[in-house]
Amino acid sequence: MKITDVKVLVTAPGRNYVLVKIETDQPGLYGWGDATLNGRELAVAAALRDHLAPLLIGRDPGRIEDTWQFLFRGTYWRGGPVLMTALAGIDLALWDIKGKVAGLPVYSLLGGATRDGALAYRHCDGRDAQEIADNIRAAQAAGFKVFRAQMDVPSSRAFPDSTWMDLTTYSQPFEDEPYLRAVPAMFERLRRELGDEPQIIHDVHERLTPIQAGRLAAAVESYHPFFLEDPIRPEHKESMRLVRQSSRTPLAMGELFNHRWECLPLITEQLIDYVRVDIAHIGGISEARKIAAIAEAYHVQMAFHGPPDIAPITHAANVHVDMAIANFGVQESSKFPAEVEDVFMGAPYFEDGYLKVSAAPGLGTDVDETAAARYPYRPEEYLPTLRRADGSVQDW
Ligand code: CS2
Ligand code: MG
């Protein structure tokens, strides 16, 4: 069997997505992958179209690991978000093809189901703790058991560039002291209102220094968060030692990593409890299962990144891997813009707290290319930036 064509499709049903379709010499046999990198979509599309797609023509689509090694090591330039997202798009499409050839869902190819569904969490962000509590109650009524709680932090100056934002970020400049006071107060209020049962995650989004992160982890420990996510910036990973020493609050990290080696010190030193890598940004399922296997040996669990800025194809890949691995922790779930349903079919579905995929062959997802063509790329959809009250750059 041979790859005959690799198509790169950029579509924006509500948000921008970069999709990869790998076609074969077998009639009607193709695979879809997702290569979306929020705010850098066209760089990935160009890497695929101009550099990687031509290398795939004529290759055997069944040799996934060999193709992965060839594109990662054999072409010399490796790593980084652009190349690893491009590689993920190809990897996902190849796993989709392999599943279709075998007549099996990808989770079955990965060893078969270890669970009935992937415990899912829902974003319940709000302007204040009261709004978050209301959102959690509504999500509980819908069946969710795990929730993410983000809130606006009062500060001094209105932040103009707020069109794109959800409450992952703040509509005002970021100041560390108000933030460090606001988050424990938020947890205290949520526990008072909702009791001990709801499992609550908070995403720091890389905004603190290690000592501040340690202080926050200690301050929220008695409210037993599910985990505290990305407490510090991702570059100097050894700084997590300081955060770890400060408390027994579970820690999660990894959505900015691009391959297993970036995860290594955090896993092998047991500095985190959950790996948050994004399957669309680490070279796909092939890399995800290796990271999961390394993490399993160190009692670290997987909590794959699942924001709406990656396509439903990656969300399906998340659940296929979640279903197959032994050390699954929790799966971030997202609400997509309504238009997404015009373009994508077979996304994971939610049932009583869990995300599930059908037993359809491959990833079980498909793309309506005619519908996709109705949603051209949106250049105005750009990542927001965040600044401090004094005007200096802050990690978004
Ligand atoms: C967030 C993301 O879901 C999360 O945990 O950190 O929404 C993140 O901000 C975006 O994916 C960035 O593109
Ligand atoms: Mg995050």
Side-chain angles (χ1 to χ4, degrees), residues 151-155 170 173-188 202 204 206-221 223 228 231-232 243 246 388 394:
M151 58 182 269
D152 231 335
V153 178
S155 195
Y170 302 98
F174 179 85
E175 281 301 300
D176 44 14
E177 280 303 324
Y179 173 78
L180 286 163
R181 286 195 299 273
V183 175
M186 172 192 81
F187 269 101
E188 194 270 330
H202 177 70
V204 181
E206 305 95 16
R207 294 186 179 116
L208 296 176
T209 65
I211 198 71
Q212 290 172 331
R215 177 177 145 199
L216 182 64
V220 299
E221 184 177 334
Y223 308 112
L228 204 59
I232 60 168
V243 187
S246 309
R388 305 278 295 234
Q394 168 64 38

Side-chain angles (χ1 to χ4, degrees), residues 121 148 168 203-206 229-230 255 276 305 332:
Y121 74 82
R148 190 185 81 160
T168 304
D203 188 352
V204 181
H205 224 259
E206 305 95 16
E229 176 180 340
D230 286 330
E255 68 180 56
R276 290 274 296 140
H305 194 216
E332 180 178 24

Side-chain angles (χ1 to χ4, degrees), residues 262-336:
E262 290 183 277
C263 308
L264 268 191
L266 298 177
I267 296 173
T268 58
E269 288 192 44
Q270 295 176 303
L271 299 180
I272 57 173
D273 303 279
Y274 296 89
V275 183
R276 290 274 296 140
V277 287
D278 188 316
I279 287 185
H281 303 152
I282 55 161
I285 291 169
S286 299
E287 187 68 355
R289 65 184 184 140
K290 291 180 186 176
I291 296 173
I294 298 167
E296 185 187 351
Y298 293 89
H299 308 283
V300 177
Q301 292 176 291
M302 303 305 294
F304 292 111
H305 194 216
D309 52 62
I310 49 177
I313 298 169
T314 301
H315 286 258
N318 283 342
V319 179
H320 280 279
V321 178
D322 297 340
M323 289 287 289
I325 59 177
N327 55 326
F328 165 70
V330 74
Q331 180 56 58
E332 180 178 24
S333 70
S334 282
K335 278 192 211 157
F336 284 97

